[in-house]
Amino acid sequence: MKIICIGRNYADHAKEMHAPLPKSPLFFLKPDSSLLPKKTPFYYPEFTQNLHYECEIVVRINKLGKNISPKFASTYYTEIGLGIDFTARDLQEECKAKGLPWERAKAFDGSAVISERFISKQELNLEKLDFHLLKNDEIVQQGNTKDFIFSIDTIISYVSQYMTLKIGDLIFTGTPAGVGPVQIGDTLQGFIGEEEMYKLQIK
Ligand code: MG
């Protein structure tokens, strides 16, 4: 299983990162070891002083595919979840400045959090899906899939030109504006619409 993460898929987040808008989907990988196991606490990693949350809609692939055309991409997933792409922002800045890969900043153990529940896409309007993240009961991120630069189907088609998508692969679709730091003791709660998808305390 692999985890594919899309970068800069919302214009407002690209702006807050002072980064240009991508012309094609920008993606990177997290290994399966980055997935925070169910019912496991999240511990603040010792190697960062600036851990950021990035709340993201997550797609689970349920069919093997390569070179998938955009027109058939929607047949490769049936369920949508919500996740956090935890990022050691200080390490990421260091890697960016040196032109190095991002894995130390993005692919560490526990850096990929996903909701236990995934919702059938039939129950959702994927063209216009609201989601938000609370930090200690205050809204810090609000997103809507209508603001995607690249749709889920475009992402699936694009990524599958380079790598085979397998059953169980996850796609983190990018984060809206409002990313920020967490501290030990903070609580993060992610919602799709009004439904709570996860609640996580930083230990
Ligand atoms: Mg992200």
Side-chain angles (χ1 to χ4, degrees), residues 51-64:
L51 180 70
H52 276 205
Y53 53 79
E54 295 188 358
C55 180
E56 311 195 3
I57 292 287
V58 179
V59 178
R60 181 150 45 210
I61 296 297
N62 73 338
K63 196 161 78 175
L64 183 82

Side-chain angles (χ1 to χ4, degrees), residues 158-170:
Y158 184 82
V159 173
S160 74
Q161 292 175 47
Y162 300 92
M163 50 184 77
T164 301
L165 296 181
K166 292 185 165 181
I167 295 171
D169 286 352
L170 297 170

Side-chain angles (χ1 to χ4, degrees), residues 62-176:
N62 73 338
K63 196 161 78 175
L64 183 82
K66 185 167 174 62
N67 288 320
I68 300 163
S69 93
K71 145 171 111 174
F72 296 120
S74 69
T75 66
Y76 285 79
Y77 62 99
T78 55
E79 291 179 322
I80 301 296
L82 195 67
I84 305 175
D85 164 20
F86 272 119
T87 303
R89 197 68 75 199
D90 44 357
L91 299 188
Q92 188 193 28
E93 295 304 330
E94 190 190 313
C95 293
K96 277 184 181 172
K98 293 180 183 167
L100 296 173
W102 291 0
E103 275 80 357
R104 278 199 305 140
K106 286 280 197 182
F108 53 87
D109 286 359
S111 63
V113 173
I114 55 166
S115 50
E116 221 172 292
R117 190 180 162 221
F118 274 60
I119 304 174
S120 162
K121 68 179 181 187
Q122 258 83 39
E123 294 174 35
L124 302 168
N125 178 2
L126 282 187
E127 304 294 311
K128 203 180 164 196
L129 187 64
D130 263 317
F131 62 99
H132 67 274
L133 180 73
L134 301 182
K135 182 175 106 172
N136 304 330
D137 297 321
E138 273 181 45
I139 293 189
V140 286
Q141 285 193 283
Q142 265 183 309
N144 190 298
T145 55
K146 71 176 166 46
D147 298 320
F148 275 155
I149 296 173
F150 302 107
S151 70
I152 294 171
D153 293 356
T154 303
I155 291 166
I156 286 176
S157 174
Y158 184 82
V159 173
S160 74
Q161 292 175 47
Y162 300 92
M163 50 184 77
T164 301
L165 296 181
K166 292 185 165 181
I167 295 171
D169 286 352
L170 297 170
I171 302 178
F172 279 62
T173 56
T175 198

